[in-house]
Amino acid sequence: MTNKDIMRIATEQSALEANCSPEDFFRSENIVTISTGNKGARRNLALPAYCNLISYGSNIVASVNPAVKETVEKYLEQFEPGHCFGTPNIYLLNDAFRRDGMCICFLAEFFLPDVERLKERECGFRMEMLRPEDLTQFYVPEWSNALTSGCRELDVLAVGAYDGARLVGLAGCSADCDTMWQIGIDVLPEYRRQGIASALTSRLALEILAAGRVPYYCVAWANVKSVRNAVQSGFIPAWVELNAKTISFSNALTGRKVPENTKKTCPT
C-alpha cells in the first residue's frame, strides 16, 4: 500500500462521513453539507452530526444540521481554515451553538503512516502479538487508551511488550470502520521513555497494513507526548476535526451540572 493509497482511503472515509466527495477536501473553497447517517461511518462517530468540521489542510468541509448551516457558512467565511479550529475564534461558534443546547466538545488531530518511514523498531523488551481472546484480562484502567472497554468487539489486534512475564506496554487497534483501524497505546509509567511506545505503535501499524487496512492515530489537540510518539513511529499529520455535542454530554465528561434553562433540541 502506497502513501497515495492510504490518503485516498482516508479521504474516501471522511467523505462518506461528511456527505461529500473525496475531492472536496482539496478544493480552495470551503464546503458545507447537510449531515446524514451512514452505516459505513466509523463506529464511534454519531451521525447525523450537529456540526463536524474536517480539514486536510486545503480547506474545511463542514457537515452540519440544517438549523446551523447558515451560521457555520458565515463563520468559515471569516477566517482562514487553519484559524477556524483555534481560540479565540471558536468561541464565536460555541456561543452560537448554545442556543440549541450544543457546544464544541472535541478537537482532534489525526495521523496516517508514511510507508517510507514506517519500520520495525526495537525497544529491548519482548514483543508479542495478541488476538481478541488474549485481551480479556487487560480491560483495566492501565490499558484504557490501548483498548476499547465500551465496545470490546471492536478490538481486533494488539501487540504487547513484556518484561519477563509482566505486560509493560500495550498497543491495540479498534476496527472503527471497514477500511481503517485506529491505534491506541499505553505504557506503564516506570517503563516510559525507553522507546516502548514507538516500537509497539510501528509494529502494530505494520500488522494492520499487512491485513489490508489503513492504521490511523488520533490525538487530543494539545497532547504533545502522543504527537511525538506518532511522529517517532513513522506517522505524519493528515487531517483535523472539530465536533460539537450537546452541552449535557460535554458536562457529563467534565462532571459539571447542566443548567436547568439549557435548551436541548438535537441528539448527541
Side-chain angles (χ1 to χ4, degrees):
M1 196 178 294
T2 66
N3 286 339
K4 186 176 181 180
D5 294 329
I6 289 170
M7 181 60 74
R8 173 183 56 79
I9 291 170
T11 54
E12 286 175 350
Q13 183 64 35
S14 292
L16 183 151
E17 295 168 355
N19 194 25
C20 67
S21 67
E23 294 77 19
D24 287 336
F25 294 108
F26 303 102
R27 301 189 188 281
S28 57
E29 71 277 6
N30 297 319
I31 306 292
V32 180
T33 68
I34 301 301
S35 181
T36 61
N38 195 308
K39 292 182 179 180
R42 283 172 289 165
R43 296 172 178 91
N44 57 355
L45 186 65
L47 294 177
Y50 179 80
C51 178
N52 283 354
L53 304 187
I54 305 170
S55 179
Y56 278 80
S58 298
N59 68 345
I60 293 175
V61 173
S63 179
V64 303
N65 182 291
V68 77
K69 183 175 185 291
E70 184 177 349
T71 298
V72 173
E73 286 175 336
K74 290 181 178 179
Y75 176 75
L76 297 183
E77 290 172 358
Q78 288 183 261
F79 309 106
E80 293 295 320
H83 296 285
C84 285
F85 291 83
T87 58
N89 300 341
I90 59 172
Y91 294 139
L92 297 176
L93 268 188
N94 204 58
D95 290 344
F97 290 171
R98 292 186 68 85
R99 72 188 181 205
D100 290 330
M102 308 295 290
C103 67
I104 294 169
C105 188
F106 296 120
L107 288 167
E109 185 172 9
F110 295 84
F111 292 75
L112 292 171
D114 178 353
V115 296
E116 297 179 1
R117 295 178 56 245
L118 184 66
K119 63 181 181 180
E120 285 199 32
R121 291 169 166 79
E122 298 297 329
C123 63
F125 294 90
R126 175 174 60 88
M127 291 191 289
E128 181 180 330
M129 295 306 304
L130 303 170
R131 304 293 173 179
E133 59 270 21
D134 304 317
L135 301 175
T136 305
Q137 61 183 310
F138 301 129
Y139 286 94
V140 293
E142 294 96 307
W143 314 117
S144 59
N145 291 311
L147 300 179
T148 314
S149 59
C151 300
R152 296 187 183 188
E153 67 275 9
L154 297 184
D155 293 331
V156 292
L157 192 63
V159 56
Y162 289 84
D163 185 0
R166 185 188 185 192
L167 182 69
V168 299
L170 182 66
C173 65
S174 57
D176 290 351
C177 60
D178 293 341
T179 58
M180 301 180 69
W181 291 357
Q182 181 179 185
I183 293 177
I185 177 75
D186 284 298
V187 177
L188 296 181
E190 62 268 35
Y191 287 88
R192 292 171 186 169
R193 298 182 181 274
Q194 299 183 55
I196 295 175
S198 59
L200 292 175
T201 302
S202 57
R203 172 69 181 280
L204 186 56
L206 289 167
E207 293 288 340
I208 294 171
L209 286 169
R213 306 303 198 280
V214 170
Y216 75 102
Y217 189 104
C218 175
V219 305
W221 205 251
N223 192 342
V224 176
K225 179 174 64 175
S226 191
V227 170
R228 286 174 178 160
N229 179 55
V231 173
Q232 291 169 358
S233 301
F235 283 70
I236 55 175
W239 81 96
V240 294
E241 293 187 17
L242 176 153
N243 186 272
K245 294 287 189 181
T246 63
I247 292 174
S248 59
F249 178 92
S250 179
N251 284 344
L253 294 179
T254 61
R256 296 168 60 194
K257 293 183 178 180
V258 182
E260 292 183 1
N261 62 349
T262 295
K263 178 183 178 184
K264 179 179 177 182
T265 59
C266 296
T268 58

